[in-house]
Structure formats: structure tokens, C-alpha cells
Amino acid sequence: MNAPHTTDVEFSQLGLDERLLKSLDEHSLTHCTPVQAECLPIALAGKDVAGQAQTGTGKTAAFLLAIMQHLLKTPERPGRKQQQPRAIIISPTRELAIQIHKDAIMLNSHAGLSLGLVYGGVDYEKQRNSLNEKIDILIGTPGRLIDYHKQNVYSLKGIEIVVLDEADRMFDLGFIADIRYMFRRMPKPENRLNMLFSATLSHRVIELAYEHMNSPEKVIINPDQVTAENVKQTMYHVANDEKISLLLGLMKRIDPKRSIVFVNTKRAAERVWSYLEGNGYHSAVLSGDVPQNKRQRLFKEFSEGRLPVLVATDLAARGLHVPEVSHVFNYDLPQNAEDYVHRIGRTARAGASGDAVSFACEEYVYSLMEIEEFIGHKLPASEIVADMLVEPKPPVKIERKRSGGSGRGRHSGGGRNRSNNRSSSRRR
């Protein structure tokens, strides 16, 4: 019997290479999700795809399988040079690039294709040197990809397939000029296979698709269902000065095993973290200035259950794939309606269920109308009863490190004043 998030279409029906089917079978992946069932036949036939689907629906496997099948069945172009990848996958965030690479390793376990991964923040020379090898599939973020390209470390002239993942996020992060720079240095759209995926196929995304793709076929999965159906959404109207009390009260009631608390600013993240730690909830902060190696360590601890709570800014709203996230808390309502969808998409992935709890406070309640209009329904409002509001214990003190008259915050995510805790986050 199929899982609720799959279709009746079996991977074995699609003419995939036996080596790919063997990898899928080893991970008990037999049936396609809707986005895979729609996109794979188009891409496998050599046609461009512009796909819209909710997060966590299996689009990564869809484009990876299409790429690998093409590379396995199509001989290299004559005269291919050492530093010319055959396929490139462009991701807006480091975390998403790392996750795509991880999934690629799994699907490539019997195919023998060579994979490359580059992203900013760490291992500059190591990643640069890795591109001296012959790479079939290169995965990376725009900044690092362009950096190495301008140094002639690798070439885009031999690209046979290009995937632009989370295209809407590329616009949000200001990467579109970089994307166009890369597209212009690849073979013409009609001489390569192009795939674009986005949470929303907005006008600007469609314009980009038709500018740099070859008459792509649109695939839109559940257009009227912006959020995953297995997410139970709840909203509380709460005063600013009661948000901490309500968060702690809900934590006590729910006893969530693996939760993400989203905030809008680093200052709010530090405050929430300090109260969670002070009240016995082991947590860590994930924000834009946390170094990449520390971010990866936090993800590992979070995914392994050693870190129950992440307090995150919207850096983590895209590209963070951690199984079994039970709860997402919008401690601050996001100021962009699309960010609401991406935040709550961290739970209820791949057919699982989850809860999304939002606080509509005086400061951010103005975003509520836009969010409800975007998702197409009202957020169910729940009443705050007295025993939900917990009197908080004092917060953990955030130590400040003084240097030249300026301060640095230091918060460990491990307990009071334990600044040397190894799962720390640091405000820089």
C-alpha cells in the first residue's frame, strides 16, 4: 500500500537505469510523489520543466534522477575538457546545497557519477582544489560558483543540464544578476536541458524561465493548497510582554521533541534563547552570522535529537531538511507571507504530520492579513487560558566579550553561563 504522499506511478515504470533503481530500492523508494510523477516523464523525454510544488514533496529527487539518467544514457560530448561539468545545480542557500549533495550521494551509490559541492563560508582552497577533478554534477551556491568561475577553475561551456532550485528565493536574496551571469556563459537554452523549481511560479520567476529556458512545460502541484495539508495551524493573539510566558507554557503542555522557533531578528533570537535555556529547554541560535561549520554542527545535533530546539531567523526557513520536526513556532509572525509557508514547511515533510503555532502580537499582527490572503484561509485562532502562561524563571545571561570598546554576544545553547559549550551559537 502506498504512503499517503505517493502516487500509483512506480519508478520502475519510467525507464530509469537499473543502477538508479537499485539505489531507490535500497531506500524503499518504489513509488513517485506527485511532483516526481509529473516532472520525471517530461524531463526524461528531454523537455524543460518549470515546476511549482510545496516544500518537502520530493522535487530534489525528481531533478537528480532526471540528471543522472541523462548522464548515464548520453555519451560525453566530444572534446569535453577536464574542468567542464556536465550538469550544474544552483541552490540559494548553503544548507540546501549540502542537502542536495547528500541526496545525490544516495541516488548515485551504484551509478558511479562524480559529484562536486561548493558553497561559501568554509573550505575555500579545499573546494577550489576539488574542482581540478573531472566532475559530472556540480552543486553549489551562486557566490562561490561565480567566484571559482571567474578564476577559470571550472567552465560552464560544457553544461548539458542546469537546475535552478528555489528560484523565488534567488530573487529574495538578490542572486538573480548572478544567475543570469551564469546562464549567459552556458550553451544556449536549446542546447541543454533546463529545470527550474520554485515554491511559487510568480511573474518574475516565469519571466526568468522563458528568458533562459527552452519553452518549459509548467508543472504545478496542488496550486490551491499553498501549505501542506498535514500541518495543523494554530494562532494566538498575544501581548508582546506575554510571548515568552506563552511559549514556555506551550512547551510545557506539548513537550515537543524537535522544534524550531522562528523570530524576525537576531536580538529576538538571543532573548528567546536565553529564556529557553533559563527554563530548562536546551536550545541554540541559528542566524545569519553563525559560521558555516557551526551551523552544520547545530543541524547535526538537531537532526540527531541532541538539540531539541532551534531558535532561528529566516536563514533556516529554506533548505533545512530535518526529519521529524514536530513543531514550528512563529514567535514573530514573518513580515513576508511567503516566508510563513516556508517556515511551517519545516514540519510535516514527506507525508508526516506536524504543528505550526503562530503568535500574533502587537508588533507583527499587521502581517496576518497578508499571510491569510496568501494561504487562502484564516489562521484558526485559539484562546489563551490562564494556565498557558507560565511565570518564567530568569533568563540565562548572555555574556559579552569586550574588545576595543565593542561587545560580542556569546550564547552557548547548553546551560547557564557555560560559554565553552561545544554546541554554542555566537553573535558576531
Side-chain angles (χ1 to χ4, degrees), residues 92-139:
T93 66
R94 303 162 184 175
E95 289 73 30
L96 182 56
I98 292 167
Q99 183 60 46
I100 292 169
H101 184 253
K102 181 179 178 183
D103 292 344
I105 290 173
M106 182 271 286
L107 293 172
N108 188 48
S109 57
H110 299 285
L113 299 168
S114 56
L115 308 175
L117 173 64
V118 298
Y119 55 89
V122 293
D123 298 334
Y124 186 88
E125 289 300 326
K126 182 179 178 182
Q127 291 181 16
R128 190 182 192 280
N129 292 336
S130 72
L131 297 181
N132 292 327
E133 304 295 327
K134 204 166 190 177
I135 290 174
D136 294 314
I137 305 172
L138 178 58
I139 303 161

Side-chain angles (χ1 to χ4, degrees), residues 152-304:
N152 297 316
V153 178
Y154 75 99
S155 170
L156 292 166
K157 292 180 179 178
I159 293 296
E160 301 170 37
I161 312 176
V162 57
V163 174
L164 184 62
D165 198 14
E166 300 209 350
D168 49 343
R169 189 61 166 165
M170 297 289 188
F171 280 98
D172 295 342
L173 295 175
F175 287 142
I176 290 305
D178 294 338
I179 297 303
R180 288 194 165 103
Y181 170 92
M182 296 180 71
F183 278 146
R184 286 195 297 268
R185 282 151 181 83
M186 298 177 193
K188 292 181 179 180
E190 57 268 28
N191 295 327
R192 63 179 196 243
L193 177 63
N194 307 280
M195 289 180 276
L196 174 151
F197 291 89
S198 181
T200 56
L201 289 180
S202 62
H203 175 73
R204 62 185 185 177
V205 172
I206 290 297
E207 184 179 45
L208 180 73
Y210 282 101
E211 181 182 355
H212 294 286
M213 299 176 72
N214 185 30
S215 301
E217 292 196 28
K218 284 188 194 177
V219 173
I220 300 177
I221 305 298
N222 293 336
D224 298 323
Q225 185 183 316
V226 179
T227 57
E229 62 180 341
N230 292 335
V231 179
K232 179 184 176 184
Q233 300 173 68
T234 309
M235 185 260 296
Y236 294 95
H237 287 282
V238 59
N240 283 347
D241 58 3
E242 291 183 333
K243 288 170 73 174
I244 289 291
S245 296
L246 179 59
L247 178 63
L248 294 173
L250 291 173
M251 288 274 188
K252 183 178 179 181
R253 272 190 171 201
I254 298 168
D255 188 27
K257 302 300 181 188
R258 187 173 294 152
S259 299
I260 304 176
V261 180
F262 280 107
V263 294
N264 290 346
T265 67
K266 288 185 291 184
R267 183 178 294 274
E270 289 184 341
R271 183 170 187 270
V272 171
W273 170 84
S274 66
Y275 272 103
L276 287 172
E277 282 288 336
N279 287 266
Y281 295 98
H282 181 38
S283 59
V285 171
L286 185 66
S287 61
D289 57 0
V290 176
Q292 180 63 26
N293 56 356
K294 185 172 289 187
R295 274 211 292 269
Q296 289 176 235
R297 187 167 69 246
L298 292 179
F299 288 153
K300 188 172 188 292
E301 292 178 4
F302 186 60
S303 63
E304 292 175 352

Side-chain angles (χ1 to χ4, degrees), residues 298-427:
L298 292 179
F299 288 153
K300 188 172 188 292
E301 292 178 4
F302 186 60
S303 63
E304 292 175 352
R306 291 182 285 130
L307 181 65
V309 184
L310 275 181
V311 184
T313 58
D314 280 307
L315 163 81
R318 301 277 189 114
L320 172 60
H321 174 68
V322 177
E324 300 177 9
V325 172
S326 61
H327 290 76
V328 167
F329 292 91
N330 286 305
Y331 182 86
D332 297 330
L333 277 179
Q335 296 168 289
N336 183 311
E338 291 186 23
D339 285 337
Y340 175 82
V341 174
H342 295 299
R343 285 182 181 188
I344 72 172
R346 297 311 98 201
T347 187
R349 297 178 71 86
S353 59
D355 289 85
V357 181
S358 298
F359 294 177
C361 63
E362 297 106 319
E363 187 173 3
Y364 295 113
V365 70
Y366 66 84
S367 300
L368 182 59
M369 185 180 298
E370 181 187 348
I371 290 169
E372 290 178 334
E373 181 179 354
F374 185 75
I375 65 176
H377 62 81
K378 294 277 188 184
L379 286 180
S382 297
E383 182 183 358
I384 299 174
V385 296
D387 66 348
M388 282 186 184
L389 299 175
V390 169
E391 182 67 30
K393 296 175 183 177
V396 167
K397 183 179 179 182
I398 299 174
E399 295 183 7
R400 301 293 173 183
K401 195 175 184 180
R402 296 184 180 179
S403 175
S406 64
R408 288 187 180 180
R410 185 164 59 181
H411 35 91
S412 70
R416 292 182 186 232
N417 301 325
R418 288 184 289 176
S419 59
N420 62 342
N421 187 294
R422 292 301 179 190
S423 53
S424 67
S425 301
R426 181 174 297 174
R427 186 179 177 213

